[in-house]
Amino acid sequence: MEHTVQKSFKKFLVVWFGQLISMIGIGLTAFSLGVYAFEKTNTATSVALITLFTFLPNILLRPIGGYWPTDSTVER
């Protein structure tokens, strides 16, 4: 039993670490796009819009993505 838990936890850590690297990459990309847009346009509006459109899907879809799997596993 304990060996299965350790194996399962190692798989979880691999997925978690991959997600961490992915989120760091998304953040760095959003930041660099904002810097690039500011260099090209010299307006803060372009930076704000790029930041908004980068993180808006994440903000809107996370609650749905968190609710949907838990709702489908709950027995009624």
Side-chain angles (χ1 to χ4, degrees):
M1 172 73 178
E2 188 146 330
H3 181 63
T4 307
V5 171
Q6 287 178 346
K7 209 173 195 181
S8 167
F9 187 67
K10 285 182 182 179
K11 288 180 183 178
F12 168 77
L13 284 179
V14 168
V15 172
W16 180 83
F17 188 69
Q19 188 69 18
L20 175 68
I21 297 298
S22 175
M23 293 302 292
I24 290 171
I26 290 169
L28 289 174
T29 302
F31 177 75
S32 61
L33 276 173
V35 170
Y36 177 76
F38 184 74
E39 286 180 349
K40 291 294 180 185
T41 63
N42 287 331
T43 63
T45 305
S46 60
V47 177
L49 287 174
I50 286 177
T51 304
L52 173 71
F53 291 132
T54 301
F55 292 110
L56 191 64
N58 204 5
I59 292 168
L60 293 176
L61 295 177
R62 275 198 181 199
I64 297 167
Y67 171 76
W68 180 59
T70 57
D71 185 51
S72 63
T73 58
V74 173
E75 292 182 27
R76 294 175 192 238

